[in-house]
Amino acid sequence: MTKNTASLFDHVLILAPYRRDAEYLAHLLGQYEVHCEIGSSTDDLSGLLANAPAVLMATHEALTPVVISSVAEHVRSQPDWSEIPIVVLLDRASNDGRVRTQLERAWPRSRLLFYRRPVTTVELLSGVQSALLARHRQRDVRDHIEREVELRRELNHRVKNILASVSSIFEMTRRNATSVEALADDFRGRLNALDKVHSAVFKAETDNISLEDVATITLEPYRSTMGHRIVFGGPPVMLMAETGTSLALCLHELATNASKYGALSAPGGSVSFVWSTTGGPLPELALEWQESGGPLVETPAQAGYGTRYVRAALGGILGTKPVFHFEPQGLRVTAEGPLSRISAAT
Amino acid sequence: MQDPTPSRLSRPLRIFYLEDNPLIVFHVEQMVEDLGHIFVGSADSFTQLQDIFKDLEVDGVLVDIDLKDGPTGPQAAAWLKERGIDSVFVTGQEQVAAAHGNVSLATLGKPVLEAQLGEKLELFRT
């Protein structure tokens, strides 16, 4: 008996009560590596069907009213993607048309295949194999549906997250805005930064983005007008998408601030953004934003959106708050933390 | 200047936030401070909360449902409750939060509004 080894969708359940029909069929199919389970009594038929046979094979004499209704129940309770193939081996003398009509009515949403005995091995085997193949396709459809459900759930989560982010950006921008124009400009700039980093992550077709790419896309608009006044670089570091997004928004704030009030607001000023990593079992990442050649820097009386956001975001990313050094010759922001907190496995 | 008697009601609350979106952390941090309370810090996962818990001195924790290590917010709230710390869910998934209503004092929907946040934070006064 093969009973204990039957598993989902990989076997043919044989119902053939007469003589040694079932064993003969199982042996025949077994020679061609078709795995079979024999339903020797109909008492536990629903249990056997619960093992999810890929194909059901039944001889004419197996089709008692009890069996027909058990199978009908199984067919009815199938999930949407499922349409169980049922191979029926008819008697030489049976009334084909009548049996066919009866079973089609009893078992809707099943794929019925009829053979009249005696049936050649080749015929039966090709029928069973095509039934198994059909069943595999159904299972693929099921997997596909499950993946889609999963993706939709994930998508919903992400959309909600983005909306929450945008809502927070708006609220915080509004709080710090001095005029409607300033609000519009700042909000647009922040949304733009968010949009660009999102596109970059999407294009990469992974959930990772390199630190270099984050710097490039975020600082690009400034570089296009100010060229070599903005330099950046460091060793390759891969970031998780969310970390990349936060960092992009930080760089956006720092760059915007530099162009409004800092080094990039004066003709000769420049900015360098560099990062470095340490070796060892617990490598650290250090970030440094250094401005120079701009107007004389004074410690601001009150921190604005940019400073507060950079503090909160870098603090969240690295586990330690960044330090703002308001040095007269130029703003310097430093931050460091364990690489393991931010980096995606490369 | 007259020294006001320290009132229980005006005592600032120490608030911790369990949330994995830094923008929202940032926003809530500002609101908590604007309401006159102390924002103690944040963690982005239940795991991280457990790591830093021993150093925490808080009056209450705001807890999101979905965190960096999965939908672990309710677990985190239950874990905090076992340690005698109150929490309030802050989430867009009010239904999930409602299903775990026994481990937190209340639920605050997203996006968070300052007035509602202020009301819920008062629940942390015991």
Side-chain angles (χ1 to χ4, degrees):
Chain A
M1 281 290 277
T2 51
K3 190 171 161 117
N4 293 327
T5 56
S7 59
L8 304 179
F9 304 114
D10 75 336
H11 63 285
V12 176
L13 174 61
I14 301 175
L15 303 178
Y18 279 10
R19 299 178 301 275
R20 294 167 61 83
D21 279 1
E23 275 164 56
Y24 171 74
L25 287 166
H27 179 72
L28 183 78
L29 295 172
Q31 283 179 320
Y32 296 90
E33 296 183 347
V34 176
H35 185 45
C36 297
E37 182 172 30
I38 295 172
S40 42
S41 96
T42 51
D43 299 348
D44 63 338
L45 184 54
S46 54
L48 292 169
L49 289 168
N51 280 343
V55 176
L56 176 64
M57 182 183 282
T59 58
H60 194 175
E61 7 1 304
L63 302 175
T64 61
V66 172
V67 168
I68 290 178
S69 77
S70 283
V71 173
E73 176 53 36
H74 179 71
V75 168
R76 195 170 37 243
S77 62
Q78 291 177 110
D80 287 346
W81 51 266
S82 174
E83 207 167 70
I84 186 171
I86 303 177
V87 178
V88 180
L89 301 174
L90 296 168
D91 274 344
R92 196 193 298 259
S94 65
N95 181 340
D96 248 22
R98 210 183 61 203
V99 176
R100 208 180 262 267
T101 313
Q102 183 196 8
L103 295 183
E104 276 167 2
R105 197 169 295 157
W107 302 337
R109 283 189 48 225
S110 66
R111 297 165 60 98
L112 288 167
L113 277 147
F114 293 94
Y115 290 98
R116 180 179 294 283
R117 282 182 289 186
V119 54
T120 67
T121 305
V122 174
E123 244 187 311
L124 185 66
L125 192 69
S126 70
V128 168
Q129 279 172 339
S130 86
L132 284 169
L133 197 66
R135 201 63 167 143
H136 275 130
R137 295 232 176 84
Q138 293 175 15
R139 200 173 47 181
D140 289 345
V141 167
R142 174 199 64 182
D143 293 348
H144 188 80
I145 292 170
E146 281 172 3
R147 262 200 310 279
E148 195 177 295
V149 168
E150 183 58 35
L151 282 174
R152 281 171 55 83
R153 194 177 297 139
E154 180 64 24
L155 181 67
N156 177 49
H157 183 190
R158 290 192 182 200
V159 167
K160 283 204 152 202
N161 230 330
I162 293 269
L163 289 176
S165 294
V166 170
S167 163
S168 284
I169 292 178
F170 178 75
E171 282 303 322
M172 295 306 294
T173 305
R174 188 176 64 82
R175 266 161 185 265
N176 290 275
T178 46
S179 68
V180 176
E181 284 71 29
L183 167 80
D185 281 352
D186 292 351
F187 188 56
R188 190 182 304 119
R190 283 161 188 155
L191 277 193
N192 240 325
L194 193 63
D195 175 45
K196 271 188 293 188
V197 69
H198 169 77
S199 300
V201 171
F202 181 76
K203 262 185 220 138
E205 289 183 1
T206 63
D207 257 352
N208 306 329
I209 185 164
S210 73
L211 183 42
E212 173 110 34
D213 284 348
V214 169
T216 306
I217 56 168
T218 315
L219 302 177
E220 178 52 39
Y222 301 93
R223 264 153 71 94
S224 64
T225 51
M226 301 178 202
H228 62 276
R229 291 170 62 192
I230 303 178
V231 292
F232 59 84
V237 174
M238 281 308 274
L239 308 170
M240 288 173 282
E242 297 82 10
T243 312
T245 304
S246 303
L247 194 64
L249 293 176
C250 288
L251 288 177
H252 168 77
E253 293 307 325
L254 290 170
T256 309
N257 184 67
S259 68
K260 277 188 186 163
Y261 317 107
L264 300 178
S265 70
S270 64
V271 166
S272 106
F273 171 56
V274 291
W275 61 94
S276 57
T277 52
T278 61
L282 296 167
E284 295 258 320
L285 173 74
L287 306 172
E288 187 192 51
W289 174 274
Q290 169 78 66
E291 299 184 20
S292 57
L296 206 65
V297 173
E298 285 170 34
T299 305
Q302 208 182 356
Y305 175 111
T307 313
R308 295 160 94 180
Y309 176 69
V310 171
R311 238 177 227 150
L314 283 184
I317 291 170
L318 295 166
T320 321
K321 297 250 176 200
V323 183
F324 282 72
H325 311 265
F326 294 98
E327 291 157 1
Q329 68 275 21
L331 170 69
R332 189 160 65 92
V333 182
T334 54
E336 53 195 41
L339 197 56
S340 60
R341 281 182 68 105
I342 59 147
S343 92
T346 39
Chain B
M1 200 168 113
Q2 203 180 344
D3 205 25
T5 320
S7 134
R8 241 169 73 89
L9 273 176
S10 66
R11 179 178 69 85
L13 295 161
R14 291 159 303 179
I15 305 301
F16 189 85
Y17 193 12
L18 200 51
E19 160 71 61
D20 64 343
N21 184 330
L23 271 166
I24 297 172
V25 173
F26 169 50
H27 183 199
V28 170
E29 174 175 349
Q30 301 314 313
M31 286 191 282
V32 166
E33 287 176 357
D34 289 352
L35 286 161
H37 302 300
I38 299 160
F39 192 85
V40 176
S42 68
D44 57 17
S45 64
F46 180 31
T47 319
Q48 202 192 343
L49 173 76
Q50 288 165 290
D51 285 348
I52 61 176
F53 177 75
K54 59 179 189 306
D55 302 322
L56 278 187
E57 272 187 42
V58 298
D59 294 302
V61 179
L62 300 170
V63 179
D64 184 21
I65 300 287
D66 268 309
L67 299 167
K68 211 168 186 176
D69 50 2
T72 53
Q75 256 171 281
W79 189 85
L80 287 164
K81 192 181 177 185
E82 279 170 29
R83 281 152 187 82
I85 296 181
D86 289 332
S87 63
V88 164
F89 286 128
V90 181
T91 179
Q93 298 169 274
E94 280 100 334
Q95 283 170 329
V96 181
H100 294 91
N102 57 325
V103 293
S104 84
L105 299 181
T107 296
L108 189 60
K110 276 183 184 170
V112 180
L113 302 176
E114 190 169 307
Q116 291 171 0
L117 176 67
E119 253 171 57
K120 303 291 185 203
L121 291 183
E122 290 305 316
L123 297 173
F124 290 139
R125 291 190 196 282
T126 47

